[in-house]
Amino acid sequence: MRTGIATVCLSGTLKEKMQACAIAGFDGIEIFEQDLVTSSLSPEDVRKMAADLGLTLDLYQPFRDFDSVTEDLLAANLRRAEAKFRLMSRLGMDTILVCTNVATATIDDDDLRAAQLSALADLAGEHGVKVAYEALAWGKYVNDYEHAHRLVETVDHPNLGTCLDSFHILSRDWDTAPIENINADKIFFVQVADAPKLSMDVLSWSRHYRVFPGEGQFELAKFMGHVVRAGYTGPVSLEVFNDVFRQSDVERTAVDAMRSLIWLEEQSAKWLDAASAGTAGAAGTQASARRRYPMELATLPQVAEPAGFNFAEVKAADTGVLEKVLGQLGFEFNGRHRTKDVQLWTMGHARVIINEQAPEAAEPAIAALGFDVDSPVIASARAQQLKAPVVPRKSQANEEVFQGFAAPDSTEIFLCQGNPDGTAAWTREFGEGLEVPFGARTAVIDHVNLAQPWQHFDEAVLFYTSALALEPQPYAEVASPSGLVRSQVMQTSDRDVRLVLNLAPVIQQDGAESGTAPRKTYQEHIAFAVDDLVATARAARDRGLAFLQIPENYYEDLDARFDLDPGFLATLRDLNLLYDRDADGEFLHFYTATVGSVFFEMVERRGSYDGYGAPNAPVRHAVQYDHLHRLTQTNR
């Protein structure tokens, strides 16, 4: 599959965008007109630079508001088009995108439109240019790709074809199956974009909320499957309008974009396989090898979803407070690594590594997560093909070799060979006998909550979907004192791995104008599931644990909502426990105070409760915010 991207997707100058696209591995680019108009590069410079970078210049766009106009306006439009055709000759480009008219269309007549498009195609032919006619979802008279293609067929000119754009088609819920009926020679270009499902006008949705494939909710694999079946062989190019992407690092966004096309290519191949198998099954025959189409779709090494968390790692320069908190929670110290400055702490099957190899004065922070996978080497190869940067890890003889790569927020992800009994062979490096199966499965890592930088949230969703086979769930928004916190759960089908990504507001602490760095208003945490939370909390209190202090108003509200047994409510209040209940079960949990940017949560799931105590999240946010504010005032 030939890959492309429109320069409008990226931040920076045209030169910076082109360099980033080449570094990310794109085959070609679309030149967005405004990027060229505002560039100091001449068309000849752009042409040479593209050649030097190994990029093809696939599409010049957009040419707006051409059709359905009066004769005098048509003449002006043709004059404008000829100027662009001459410019394209200097660029060495042969395809231009012409959008259906939005602003100047005054005559709703398909015969007139066909005649005007025919005149444009004649002019384009004189300059060796192909016109890709695209139906905008908000076009005044033409907003349906099938309508646009009927006009192309009516004109029947070798220099006029259609452009299929996934956003304009899927945002209007148009059926994509008829794409297969389009003559492949008449599909001049294909653009793809994903988007979250939103209730708003299509123009605003398009201009601000498009995302790369895999970061939204459109059925892009199905769309691409129909395109492939039609016989299309040209570029598959990203056209994404997104305010965040155009403020983010250009090279990083380009890599994210390339990852999305690699993922889409694989998902499209899977869709075609499934569709072919379904057809064969209906005919009563076995599905044979994948049917070959003119467009070859590459696939990635196939991996199963993780079987569970293997460990969580917290790093700090001074680990004393972390050690104290884990001990108070009931974790056991299992020794230091024989060659590295790290400690192992365990409770049941829950393992926490404390890494002392942090820069001086570095506060405690989640540094790495380990996941149990069937084949770490294959899973790592897949992640690397998806542009995940490799994390080197020094190992000596007779030490476990972990496959690792970095997530978008710099969390290190390690792939481990898990054992069915929940043990890990590498633990013997901390002391003989630790790899022996534990007794009861008294504790496990239930979920990990990671705060994501605002400019990389969508990137993180695609990363964990494509590299770790986690499935994104519908996101939620939780109120906090500094704004709404967007929460995105990523999980395996059996819920043994639950990763919660949070996009939280960032505010300046008092005195920031004098150079003080901004502090996050949302910390990260590791949650451990236990069999008996009340007993765990009482034991932790006896060991001196500093619980997150829950206000009395919470318990009054809790009683009003659930009419709890007075004795049980008193226990919750006494131990600073939080509670939630739904039709499937109950959820008890408590939080520790924050250490650096990390805190811990202990949970107990009763019945089939599957949530995270979302109604309690605003309470936690408010208490942590108040603590952070008071701490800031104290340190002034």
Side-chain angles (χ1 to χ4, degrees):
M1 185 176 87
R2 286 176 55 200
T3 59
I5 184 171
T7 55
V8 73
C9 301
L10 305 170
S11 65
T13 65
L14 180 57
K15 179 179 180 180
E16 292 169 336
K17 296 180 183 194
M18 293 175 68
Q19 290 171 333
C21 292
I23 292 170
F26 282 94
D27 297 316
I29 60 173
E30 305 175 36
I31 296 291
F32 196 73
E33 185 172 64
Q34 187 176 13
D35 286 325
L36 180 65
V37 170
T38 59
S39 176
S40 60
L41 299 174
S42 70
E44 290 76 16
D45 291 336
V46 173
R47 180 175 185 170
K48 182 179 184 305
M49 183 177 176
D52 292 343
L53 291 172
L55 294 171
T56 56
L57 299 179
D58 297 328
L59 187 74
Y60 188 84
Q61 66 121 327
F63 191 85
R64 303 184 187 278
D65 299 325
F66 175 80
D67 61 81
S68 311
V69 296
T70 58
E71 282 298 318
D72 58 332
L73 193 50
L74 173 65
N77 287 344
L78 289 170
R79 185 167 55 252
R80 179 164 56 97
E82 187 166 24
K84 298 304 176 185
F85 296 159
R86 290 194 295 267
L87 173 63
M88 290 172 62
S89 178
R90 296 172 63 192
L91 287 163
M93 303 180 72
D94 66 0
T95 306
I96 189 171
L97 178 71
V98 174
C99 306
T100 57
N101 201 326
V102 173
T104 63
T106 56
I107 308 171
D108 186 10
D109 184 327
D110 272 355
D111 290 338
L112 176 70
R113 271 186 286 275
Q116 293 178 344
L117 288 170
S118 180
L120 179 63
D122 286 340
L123 182 61
E126 295 173 10
H127 291 269
V129 170
K130 296 189 299 181
V131 174
Y133 186 55
E134 175 187 62
L136 296 181
W138 53 89
K140 187 171 183 179
Y141 298 130
V142 181
N143 54 32
D144 176 351
Y145 79 96
E146 292 186 85
H147 185 182
H149 183 63
R150 286 196 298 273
L151 292 167
V152 168
E153 287 185 314
T154 298
V155 174
D156 192 21
H157 194 290
N159 292 80
L160 180 67
T162 191
C163 173
L164 299 175
D165 183 305
S166 67
F167 181 86
H168 294 299
I169 294 171
L170 299 178
S171 65
R172 297 293 298 270
D173 291 323
W174 301 127
D175 183 8
T176 54
I179 290 174
E180 296 187 28
N181 300 324
I182 299 176
N183 182 342
D185 292 338
K186 284 299 183 181
I187 304 177
F188 282 4
F189 209 76
V190 170
Q191 295 174 319
V192 291
D194 210 336
K197 293 292 182 70
L198 300 173
S199 297
M200 63 190 311
D201 69 278
V202 182
L203 178 58
S204 298
W205 188 12
S206 172
R207 286 288 175 260
H208 302 285
Y209 297 101
R210 295 195 197 193
V211 289
F212 296 130
E215 299 175 356
Q217 297 170 281
F218 284 165
E219 291 187 273
L220 288 180
K222 180 180 178 181
F223 167 82
M224 276 304 304
H226 292 308
V227 169
V228 171
R229 281 177 160 180
Y232 176 73
T233 59
V236 177
S237 186
L238 297 163
E239 188 193 38
V240 171
F241 299 89
N242 186 291
D243 299 336
V244 173
F245 295 171
R246 285 184 279 187
Q247 299 177 59
S248 305
D249 178 78
V250 61
E251 290 187 12
R252 182 164 176 168
T253 305
V255 169
D256 181 32
M258 189 65 212
R259 178 183 299 126
S260 76
L261 283 185
I262 295 170
W263 176 87
L264 177 60
E265 187 171 6
E266 178 190 49
Q267 297 303 305
S268 301
K270 288 182 176 180
W271 185 90
L272 286 167
D273 283 347
S276 297
T279 302
T285 61
Q286 290 287 337
S288 58
R290 181 188 308 156
R291 176 182 168 186
R292 297 182 67 86
Y293 297 97
M295 179 187 290
E296 290 290 333
L297 296 177
T299 57
L300 299 168
Q302 297 302 294
V303 296
E305 60 186 17
F309 286 101
N310 190 282
F311 68 85
E313 179 182 308
V314 183
K315 182 182 289 188
D318 183 353
T319 63
V321 178
L322 282 173
E323 297 169 32
K324 180 180 178 180
V325 171
L326 286 176
Q328 291 169 334
L329 285 172
F331 278 78
E332 294 184 7
F333 172 63
N334 294 129
R336 294 178 179 275
H337 193 273
R338 61 193 183 203
T339 63
K340 299 179 177 67
D341 293 328
V342 298
Q343 308 171 27
L344 174 62
W345 292 72
T346 63
M347 178 191 287
H349 288 185
R351 289 182 284 268
V352 176
I353 293 175
I354 296 182
N355 189 333
E356 301 168 294
Q357 304 171 101
E360 185 176 356
E363 292 188 330
I366 295 176
L369 298 174
F371 295 92
D372 289 329
V373 298
D374 286 340
S375 177
V377 172
I378 293 176
S380 178
R382 175 184 175 87
Q384 290 177 47
Q385 289 187 42
L386 286 159
K387 307 289 184 178
V390 174
V391 172
R393 183 179 181 273
K394 294 181 180 179
S395 298
Q396 297 190 13
N398 300 318
E399 291 183 356
E400 189 85 4
V401 177
F402 285 160
Q403 303 292 324
F405 49 87
D409 66 351
S410 298
T411 301
E412 295 179 349
I413 303 298
F414 290 104
L415 306 173
C416 312
Q417 188 70 62
N419 296 325
D421 59 12
T423 62
W426 58 265
T427 58
R428 69 167 63 96
E429 298 167 21
F430 292 82
E432 293 299 328
L434 292 179
E435 75 279 9
V436 175
F438 303 104
R441 194 168 180 258
T442 55
V444 296
I445 296 177
D446 184 84
H447 64 274
V448 177
N449 185 306
L450 298 175
Q452 301 299 303
W454 63 270
Q455 66 271 47
H456 303 309
F457 187 86
D458 292 314
E459 177 187 359
V461 172
L462 171 62
F463 175 85
Y464 286 111
T465 300
S466 59
L468 270 184
L470 300 183
E471 187 68 26
Q473 306 303 302
Y475 71 84
E477 292 181 334
V478 177
S480 81
S482 54
L484 289 178
V485 176
R486 180 178 175 183
S487 183
Q488 174 73 68
V489 174
M490 311 289 297
Q491 65 186 30
T492 54
S493 58
D494 59 9
R495 314 294 197 273
D496 282 348
V497 171
R498 304 169 187 254
L499 195 62
V500 185
L501 308 179
N502 286 279
L503 174 63
V506 176
I507 62 171
Q508 296 286 338
Q509 60 185 6
D510 293 341
E513 65 278 359
S514 61
T516 305
R519 299 186 65 172
K520 291 181 181 178
T521 60
Y522 190 88
Q523 294 83 35
E524 300 180 323
H525 74 272
I526 305 166
F528 306 100
V530 295
D531 296 332
D532 187 339
L533 188 76
V534 171
T536 299
R538 284 178 174 150
R541 182 180 61 181
D542 292 344
R543 300 186 192 102
L545 178 71
F547 290 77
L548 191 71
Q549 296 297 301
I550 306 303
E552 173 60 26
N553 292 337
Y554 167 77
Y555 295 103
E556 292 184 8
D557 177 70
L558 197 64
D559 187 34
R561 287 191 290 130
F562 293 117
D563 189 23
L564 299 174
D565 176 81
F568 180 57
L569 182 63
T571 298
L572 297 178
R573 181 185 286 110
D574 180 50
L575 295 171
N576 282 282
L577 305 187
L578 297 100
Y579 176 86
D580 189 32
R581 183 173 71 205
D582 62 18
D584 298 316
E586 299 173 290
F587 187 66
L588 283 73
H589 56 139
F590 72 81
Y591 302 103
T592 69
T594 302
V595 182
S597 65
V598 182
F599 62 96
F600 300 104
E601 179 185 10
M602 306 299 287
V603 312
E604 179 188 345
R605 297 179 181 275
R606 297 178 175 178
S608 299
Y609 184 96
D610 194 39
Y612 302 84
N616 301 328
V619 178
R620 190 252 298 174
H621 282 295
V623 175
Q624 289 177 329
Y625 176 90
D626 182 59
H627 176 75
L628 179 64
H629 180 73
R630 284 188 283 107
L631 183 64
T632 301
Q633 294 295 323
T634 301
N635 293 334
R636 288 185 62 182

